[in-house]
Amino acid sequence: MGATKATIRAVNGLTARWARKVEDGTVLSAPAVWPLLALLADGAGGAARGELADAVGLPADRAGAAAREFLAGLAGLRGLDTAVGLWTKRTLELREAWRAGLPAGAHGVLTGDAGADRAALDAWAAERTGGLVRRMPVEVTDRTELVLAGALAMRTRWLRPFREQALCPEGGPWAGRTLLGLWRRSEVLDRVGVADTAHGFVTELKVLGGNALDVHLLLGEEHMTPGQVLAAGVDVLAGRCPVVPGPRLPYGEAGPGLRVVRERSARPRPPVLDVTTAAYDLTGGHDLLERHALFGLTTARDDRAGHFPGVSAFPLAVGSARQAAMARFGALGFEAAAVTAIGLPGGGVPRLRWLVTTVEARYDRPFGFLAVHRHTRLVLAAGWVTDPEPFREDEEVHWTQD
């Protein structure tokens, strides 16, 4: 991926700040909004320019080039599809320097026919995400002069699939429910580790995809909030927290949801990692203007003045900014997608001779996840699971070979 380390740090920084605000089940994607903010920062003026630069994490005069470089880098990743789209009224004249910085073919037209414009925008969202997100999260009115949108979709198949089975938690928020559980066994113990974070211990499990797109499952101590757990996951990626890897974990209760046991066996075997988690399929909807300071949109909301002289001489303000996102984690793989739109109005009795070790990781209460590009550690999506998939006895159970 061609994006610089500074850009990836900036995007992950936005992920961490946004994730700290999570209080309930949801999914979000900073890479689906960060380039839009960077492009707006490039064309903004006055106080709006400084606020957007702070949200982007780069100087405004470097933001546009960084956004273009970032989008080009994403386009080269297997299993990932990204796009940026721009629609304007026919009468809105754009600054050529700003328009030329957009991807080729990104510019469309708002016709003024609300039904036709809505159909075109929805079709773009569905096409760019392979049908994972079917509706553009923006309302177009007669005052909408410009819509700037970003789409991201990722798909990966596990290097080692899970086996589906019923999961019946004995305690916690999911007690009494029969969930669609996923189990697998591996001899690679370093896929799991325990991080010592600012707010408590977090168990991190890496589930590797075949195209270097992985999902990290995060289980914190019970007193930790969703935002604390998710932000801790970003800190672990950045190397800001000490982590004890699976091969070095102590016997007994080693971390949240994690136990290391030594038991007698009829035959020898190497240490193994047994993982039990829950399948999930969740969506998230976010009004970015509700957290306008986080996204650098405080001043840009004021429609009494124009804030983007580098975009157009016509006075423009941000009237709406929303993201629709989804994530699905199953036995064979993972997929996630997000569309962001900004509208500008104006796992017999034998002789037990051997001692064997098993690391047991169990995610049977609310947990977080980060979808990560393995080589750059860019977080593509983040989320919190509160309502996993139920186990349905009338459905076929899929078994994989061990």
Side-chain angles (χ1 to χ4, degrees):
M1 182 175 174
T4 66
K5 291 181 179 179
T7 297
I8 291 172
R9 281 197 302 268
V11 181
N12 281 358
L14 179 59
T15 296
R17 295 192 300 274
W18 193 357
R20 288 190 186 101
K21 307 297 183 181
V22 172
E23 298 176 349
D24 206 346
T26 195
V27 55
L28 56 89
S29 175
V33 64
W34 187 91
L36 308 185
L37 300 178
L39 289 169
L40 288 178
D42 185 38
R49 184 175 177 86
E51 292 170 0
L52 281 161
D54 287 343
V56 168
L58 293 174
D61 59 0
R62 289 171 45 199
R68 293 186 285 273
E69 180 185 55
F70 181 68
L71 291 166
L74 292 180
L77 300 183
R78 292 187 302 125
L80 191 68
D81 294 309
T82 60
V84 167
L86 172 73
W87 296 262
T88 62
K89 283 186 175 179
R90 296 183 188 277
T91 55
L92 181 68
E93 294 185 9
L94 298 175
R95 302 286 191 192
E96 179 59 26
W98 188 83
R99 188 201 62 77
L102 297 175
H107 193 183
V109 174
L110 296 175
T111 66
D113 181 327
D117 288 340
R118 162 52 60 190
L121 293 172
D122 289 349
W124 185 90
E127 180 182 358
R128 297 305 190 273
T129 63
L132 295 177
V133 177
R134 295 186 174 275
R135 185 173 175 84
M136 183 76 82
V138 67
E139 293 300 325
V140 179
T141 71
D142 57 359
R143 294 189 61 220
T144 304
E145 295 284 335
L146 180 154
V147 173
L148 181 63
L152 178 149
M154 63 167 289
R155 295 174 174 85
T156 191
R157 291 178 67 87
W158 308 133
L159 291 176
R160 185 173 183 83
F162 290 84
R163 186 175 71 189
E164 294 182 351
Q165 61 185 27
L167 172 61
C168 303
E170 297 179 356
W174 299 342
R177 297 180 60 183
T178 302
L179 307 174
L180 177 54
L182 305 174
W183 178 90
R184 74 179 189 185
R185 169 171 287 183
S186 167
E187 295 179 6
V188 186
L189 301 192
D190 61 4
R191 294 287 185 263
V192 74
V194 177
D196 186 0
T197 78
H199 298 283
F201 291 103
V202 173
T203 296
E204 178 195 44
L205 174 74
K206 301 172 186 175
V207 186
L208 272 56
N211 48 7
L213 300 180
D214 308 330
V215 176
H216 297 196
L217 302 184
L218 306 167
L219 187 66
E221 296 187 65
E222 293 190 33
H223 71 268
M224 296 177 69
T225 67
Q228 289 172 343
V229 175
L230 289 172
V234 180
D235 286 341
V236 172
L237 278 177
R240 292 191 287 264
C241 301
V243 179
V244 179
R248 292 170 47 197
L249 292 171
Y251 289 108
E253 302 298 325
L258 194 61
R259 190 166 64 117
V260 182
V261 299
R262 197 178 188 193
E263 56 194 352
R264 292 198 172 275
S265 173
R267 51 181 175 265
R269 64 162 170 79
V272 295
L273 169 62
D274 282 358
V275 174
T276 300
T277 188
Y280 57 86
D281 185 347
L282 68 158
T283 61
H286 307 279
D287 184 344
L288 308 190
L289 293 186
E290 289 183 353
R291 303 190 186 280
H292 51 84
L294 173 64
F295 297 102
L297 298 173
T298 301
T299 298
R301 299 174 303 158
D302 185 356
D303 61 3
R304 295 172 298 180
H307 307 287
F308 300 96
V311 176
S312 173
F314 187 89
L316 297 170
V318 173
S320 67
R322 295 177 177 271
Q323 182 179 98
M326 61 76 62
R328 187 178 296 129
F329 185 109
L332 301 180
F334 175 86
E335 56 188 4
V339 173
T340 308
I342 300 176
L344 286 78
V349 181
R351 293 179 60 193
L352 307 179
R353 298 177 53 196
W354 307 93
L355 282 171
V356 297
T357 299
T358 303
V359 179
E360 300 174 345
R362 190 174 181 88
Y363 288 70
D364 61 357
R365 57 180 173 82
F367 60 89
F369 69 89
L370 302 177
V372 178
H373 179 241
R374 188 183 311 152
H375 305 312
T376 63
R377 299 192 174 188
L378 172 68
V379 179
L380 297 165
W384 187 256
V385 181
T386 59
D387 189 20
E389 290 288 278
F391 179 79
R392 297 180 175 89
E393 294 185 4
D394 57 336
E395 294 184 355
E396 179 182 356
V397 174
H398 303 285
W399 300 87
T400 64
Q401 294 182 352
D402 291 330

